Amino acid sequence: MNNLLRLLGRRLIALPFMAFGVTLLVYFLMSFSQYDPAVAALGENATPQALAAYRHEMGFDRPWWEQFFSYLGGLLRGDLGVYGVNKDPVSGRIATAFPITLQLTFIGLLIAIVFAVIFGVLAALYRDTWVDQAIRVVSIIAIATPSFWLGVLLIYVLQIKMAWLPGAGELPAFTQDPAGYLARMAMPSFALGLPVAGSLTRIIRTSMVEELDKDYVRTAIGAGVPKRVVVARNVFRNALITPVTMLGMKIGYLMGGAIVIEVIFALPGMGTAMFDGINNNQPTLVQGVALVVALAFMVVNVIVDLLYVLINPRIRTV
């Protein structure tokens, strides 16, 4: 419990500093844009008076440090700002986009875990055989395959050539059309999860091999305990320590990759929102999306670390 509280305290103390750093970095990078956000919002045919009024209303005519601290003040009040000519709230766009990114990340993670557990365990149980060698080759290929390239390939094969799955179009709600929802999310989730599946397969295989070589496994099997029982009850559970510690970074990778995958498959998630913000020179939208994604990544890492601390004391051998 003391370890748990110390870890939680350190993470909570570091969280606002990391959020401030992310906000400052994104704000600084967006300041290099040479395109006037007033022109992006009102159009190139807008009058100079209208452009000046828009800049003054949005605060773009003030020094960047005043804009930054004004933006920070809004964040402390829960205000992410507005964007566009209609001054749409950034929080409203994020509220509709963020759940889609979370769904894509979760499904991609689920695919990665299922594939990694199955093939990682098989590779460890049949190590140095053709099964292990085949899984090793496939996992290396999966790790080396970029998600965006795989996404384009899936669209070409499964949508254009075979017309099996949709690669674009509206995303139906799961409660209203489960089959349509799963069909729409199948390709982006697989493209997102496959590289992570290859990496986790290697980690699980290595952890399982290390556990299988320990003395308690040979002692239990020599005492008459069936090998499948030892593997299921002890070896597999003990071997999960390392994969769990790596899970936080993998989730962060999935969330980052989801932003690119959403643009390729035209999913209205955080990636599409950020892409629109960059293309239309809407700094408040880009800053809000980047900040929420970064905070989500930090929170996920805290949860994974806490899970590791809770699991670790329960690891037992036969």
Side-chain angles (χ1 to χ4, degrees):
M1 183 58 67
N2 290 333
N3 293 335
L4 184 64
L5 293 177
R6 282 197 298 268
L7 176 62
L8 182 60
R10 288 197 302 268
R11 293 297 190 184
L12 292 178
I13 292 174
L15 193 61
F17 293 100
M18 290 188 290
F20 175 80
V22 170
T23 306
L24 179 61
L25 178 61
V26 175
Y27 206 95
F28 177 73
L29 292 177
M30 289 298 297
S31 67
F32 283 102
S33 175
Q34 299 298 318
Y35 196 59
D36 190 348
V39 176
L42 301 180
E44 296 182 356
N45 296 325
T47 63
Q49 294 80 9
L51 294 174
Y54 184 86
R55 295 189 192 100
H56 181 73
E57 183 180 0
M58 298 296 292
F60 294 139
D61 56 349
R62 292 182 292 172
W64 73 268
W65 56 270
E66 288 188 13
Q67 297 181 45
F68 176 70
F69 284 105
S70 176
Y71 180 72
L72 281 183
L75 288 181
L76 295 177
R77 298 190 301 270
D79 181 14
L80 294 175
V82 296
Y83 70 98
V85 63
N86 296 322
K87 300 181 179 63
D88 299 316
V90 175
S91 57
R93 178 68 181 271
I94 292 176
T96 58
F98 192 52
I100 296 176
T101 300
L102 287 181
Q103 294 167 31
L104 178 60
T105 302
F106 174 77
I107 298 175
L109 180 64
L110 185 63
I111 291 174
I113 290 176
V114 171
F115 275 81
V117 169
I118 293 175
F119 292 110
V121 172
L122 284 176
L125 294 178
Y126 296 95
R127 57 177 164 174
D128 299 329
T129 65
W130 70 267
V131 176
D132 183 22
Q133 298 297 332
I135 293 175
R136 184 178 303 178
V137 171
V138 173
S139 63
I140 292 175
I141 293 175
I143 295 172
T145 302
S147 294
F148 65 88
W149 179 85
L150 181 59
V152 173
L153 180 63
L154 290 175
I155 291 175
Y156 178 76
V157 175
L158 298 182
Q159 180 188 8
I160 298 176
K161 287 296 184 180
M162 299 183 177
W164 286 356
L165 293 171
E170 183 181 359
L171 177 65
F174 179 77
T175 55
Q176 298 176 356
D177 185 9
Y181 173 86
L182 294 176
R184 182 70 175 87
M185 296 289 283
M187 286 196 292
S189 301
F190 183 79
L192 183 63
L194 184 64
V196 177
S199 178
L200 284 179
T201 298
R202 303 291 299 157
I203 296 172
I204 292 176
R205 189 258 183 199
T206 302
S207 298
M208 286 285 296
V209 168
E210 291 177 355
E211 288 296 321
L212 288 169
D213 287 339
K214 290 185 177 179
D215 292 337
Y216 78 88
V217 177
R218 291 190 292 267
T219 301
I221 295 175
V225 180
K227 184 177 180 179
R228 64 178 181 275
V229 175
V230 178
V231 171
R233 292 184 179 179
N234 302 99
V235 174
F236 180 69
R237 183 176 60 181
N238 293 352
L240 287 180
I241 300 177
T242 302
V244 167
T245 59
M246 299 294 295
L247 197 58
M249 290 185 292
K250 298 304 178 183
I251 295 176
Y253 171 85
L254 286 171
M255 293 187 68
I259 292 178
V260 179
I261 291 296
E262 287 170 355
V263 176
I264 294 175
F265 287 92
L267 290 172
M270 299 289 275
T272 303
M274 181 175 287
F275 184 76
D276 292 342
I278 294 174
N279 274 347
N280 299 323
N281 196 32
Q282 297 166 342
T284 51
L285 180 58
V286 177
Q287 292 156 12
V289 171
L291 180 61
V292 171
V293 171
L295 288 176
F297 173 69
M298 298 172 197
V299 171
V300 166
N301 275 276
V302 171
I303 294 174
V304 172
D305 288 341
L306 294 177
L307 180 63
Y308 171 73
V309 173
L310 290 174
I311 290 177
N312 196 28
R314 300 180 183 179
I315 303 301
R316 296 291 184 267
T317 57
V318 176

